[in-house]
Amino acid sequence: MPEQPYEPEGAIAGTGMGGAMDLAASEATTLERTPGGPEGTGPQEKPRSLWSDAWRDLRRNPVFIVSALVILFLVVVSIWPSLIASGNPLKCDLAKAQEGSQPGHPFGYDGQGCDVYTRTVYGARASVTVGVCATLGVALLGSVLGGLAGFFGGVGDSVLSRITDIFFAIPVVLGGLVLLSVVTSNTVWPVVGFMVLLGWPQISRIARGSVITVKQNDYVQAARALGASNSRILLRHIAPNAVAPVIVVATIALGTYIALEATLSYLGVGLKPPSVSWGIDISAASPYIRNAPHALLWPSGALAITVLAFIMLGDAVRDALDPKLR
């Protein structure tokens, strides 16, 4: 059989299927020089992280945009309520009790003759303060305890698991009635402390499970094999990759804590007069719901919008950070 002549214009590559594939020399050279080629001589695209992908998704999510704008407005009003309300929330006139909307007083007056609009605006400060401080305290305490228990395991992990089971068995509202009934302070800090005391087990269990999952990954084992200390592994490799579930749960829980503060204030064991709170105003307006429903409608509506905004924000953050939903 005569030998076939060599053709420099093409290259013959076996396909492994009994056939052949012709690849022009110019095409092969072009393939090697492309950015995705074997040599990678072209510009490489910067790899994206979970946080950059999450931020890109959040910016395109209308639910996140609307809820974030509402929350930003509430935060600004909580810090500077005088920007949109010039009256005094503690100034009341019994002669105007239960009167409806008037010029300069769009929400009318409550049963004590107080301006409902002014009290609704100033009531955002207590609710937002309690929600934010309680969420930060719960997230910090629960993350530290749960993260350490999940990382080291052993007896400490077992003891923490049993302690969280005990706290889960305590009804939150009933616990608030018992613990806060003996408190005489009318500030937000006893309420915040109660929420942190009964709220950290949930975050602790989330953080523990997340740390247990992350510490089994290959990059953690590689860092340990290279001689990294436990503190370095925990802070540099595990914490940044295990914090996403904690952020999601804490964001959703923030709205729950605001509703819990209003519930405890409504029952008379949360914030107490002369503090201004939506729960206090709802409790005071309940006996006059037939004669002055506006006094109950506005603080209740403000509370519902606030809680809904934080829950919607938490749902949007969860959708952005959960890789299973992509």
Side-chain angles (χ1 to χ4, degrees):
M1 181 176 180
E3 183 180 359
Q4 296 181 356
Y6 173 72
E7 298 180 359
E9 296 82 2
I12 306 298
T15 61
M17 299 294 293
M21 177 178 64
D22 294 337
L23 182 64
S26 60
E27 295 178 358
T29 304
T30 303
L31 178 61
E32 292 180 356
R33 294 181 179 178
T34 55
E39 297 184 1
T41 57
Q44 299 292 329
E45 183 181 358
K46 184 178 179 180
R48 296 179 303 187
S49 64
L50 172 65
W51 302 103
S52 61
D53 287 343
W55 175 239
R56 182 189 61 181
D57 294 342
L58 288 175
R59 288 181 299 176
R60 300 176 180 178
N61 191 344
V63 174
F64 170 78
I65 295 175
V66 173
S67 59
L69 290 177
V70 173
I71 293 172
L72 179 61
F73 173 76
L74 290 171
V75 172
V76 173
V77 169
S78 301
I79 299 175
W80 299 289
S82 59
L83 292 177
I84 60 175
S86 58
N88 186 353
L90 301 179
K91 183 180 179 181
C92 305
D93 186 0
L94 286 175
K96 299 181 179 179
Q98 302 183 19
E99 292 186 1
S101 176
Q102 298 179 3
H105 306 278
F107 294 175
Y109 297 89
D110 61 8
Q112 300 296 324
C114 302
D115 185 17
V116 177
Y117 172 77
T118 303
R119 291 188 63 86
T120 301
V121 172
Y122 276 83
R125 172 179 293 179
S127 298
V128 173
T129 301
V130 170
V132 172
C133 293
T135 301
L136 292 177
V138 166
L140 181 61
L141 181 60
S143 298
V144 171
L145 295 179
L148 293 176
F151 181 75
F152 292 104
V155 178
D157 186 18
S158 300
V159 172
L160 182 67
S161 298
R162 302 292 77 78
I163 293 176
T164 55
D165 291 339
I166 294 174
F167 275 92
F168 279 132
I170 301 176
V172 178
V173 177
L174 180 59
L177 290 173
V178 174
L179 296 178
L180 295 178
S181 60
V182 298
V183 177
T184 58
S185 175
N186 59 356
T187 62
V188 300
W189 303 117
V191 181
V192 172
F194 162 75
M195 293 181 181
V196 173
L197 178 63
L198 293 186
W200 69 267
Q202 180 186 16
I203 298 295
S204 175
R205 181 160 292 185
I206 297 296
R208 173 183 175 274
S210 182
V211 169
I212 291 176
T213 302
V214 172
K215 76 174 185 179
Q216 299 174 358
N217 292 333
D218 293 338
Y219 57 85
V220 176
Q221 303 302 326
R224 192 184 301 276
L226 292 174
S229 61
N230 288 333
S231 60
R232 180 178 178 84
I233 293 175
L234 187 60
L235 296 177
R236 296 291 301 273
H237 300 284
I238 293 182
N241 296 284
V243 73
V246 175
I247 294 177
V248 172
V249 175
T251 305
I252 297 176
L254 201 156
T256 305
Y257 293 140
I258 293 177
L260 179 59
E261 179 274 323
T263 302
L264 295 175
S265 298
Y266 178 86
L267 296 175
V269 296
L271 298 180
K272 303 175 181 63
S275 298
V276 181
S277 169
W278 290 332
I280 295 176
D281 291 348
I282 294 173
S283 177
S286 297
Y288 311 104
I289 187 173
R290 293 186 177 181
N291 299 328
H294 59 276
L296 179 65
L297 174 63
W298 294 110
S300 300
L303 175 63
I305 292 174
T306 302
V307 174
L308 180 62
F310 280 105
I311 292 178
M312 291 172 58
L313 180 69
D315 289 341
V317 173
R318 179 199 60 194
D319 295 341
L321 291 179
D322 191 353
K324 297 180 181 179
L325 300 178
R326 295 184 180 278

